Each structure stands twice: as C-alpha cells, then as structure tokens.
Amino acid sequence: MRFIPPHLMALVTLLIIVVWVMLVHQFRRSAALQKFVADTMGDDTPQNALTAYEAARSRLANQLNRSDLDGRTRQRIEIALGIPQQGVVIDSQMDDRLS
C-alpha cells in the first residue's frame, strides 16, 4: 500500500468496500452464479441438499404458527409439508404467474 498516497487511502478503502458490496449483492440475486460457485467449491452434494431441505421444512412448519398468515398461504404451506387437505385442489406455481 505504499504506492497509494496517504490522502487517498480513505477513497481507495471506500471504493473497495463499495465494489465488495456490489459483488455480494449480485451473487445473492443470481441463482446461476450461486450454482457455479457451489459446483466449483464442491458444496453441491446430496447431503447438503438434504440438510437445506430439512431446514426449509422446519422453517415452513414454524411459519404455520403465525397468526397473521393468510388462508391461501397457509394452505400452500400445508400442502408443501404434506399435511392432508380435505377437498382441496392443488394449485401450481404456474397458475400464480399467469394471472
């Protein structure tokens, strides 16, 4: 860092922080980039997928305890968790996108 004049150190530090935040933001929004990194790092394994699935099921089960949950979302969570429904037609995600 001796090539950078002392009065520009704060600006260089700020630039590095801004670039880092932009890269993290882009990574979080890009599923393809996340998959590439997971494949590269060797994290895309059946064990990791099972752990993520179990954690997601647990979070969904916890969401059912919320009192401010609307009926349709509650029904979709129950269907996703495999809780038996009486006389319910299962909606697909495609129906939501078309309307």
Side-chain angles (χ1 to χ4, degrees), residues 9-76:
M9 286 295 275
L11 291 175
V12 170
T13 303
L14 181 64
L15 176 67
I16 291 171
I17 291 171
V18 168
V19 168
W20 178 256
V21 168
M22 289 173 56
L23 287 172
V24 168
H25 180 71
Q26 182 63 30
F27 177 77
R28 292 191 68 197
R29 292 183 64 207
S30 173
L33 187 57
Q34 289 179 15
K35 181 166 176 27
F36 172 75
V37 170
D39 288 343
T40 303
M41 302 287 284
D43 289 340
D44 195 15
T45 64
Q47 292 82 10
N48 287 345
L50 182 59
T51 302
Y53 174 74
E54 290 170 346
R57 282 186 60 92
S58 174
R59 287 193 309 268
L60 279 175
N62 290 336
Q63 291 294 323
L64 283 176
N65 298 330
R66 293 180 54 182
S67 61
D68 63 339
L69 197 61
D70 66 288
R72 184 157 192 249
T73 303
R74 179 176 302 278
Q75 182 182 28
R76 290 178 64 197

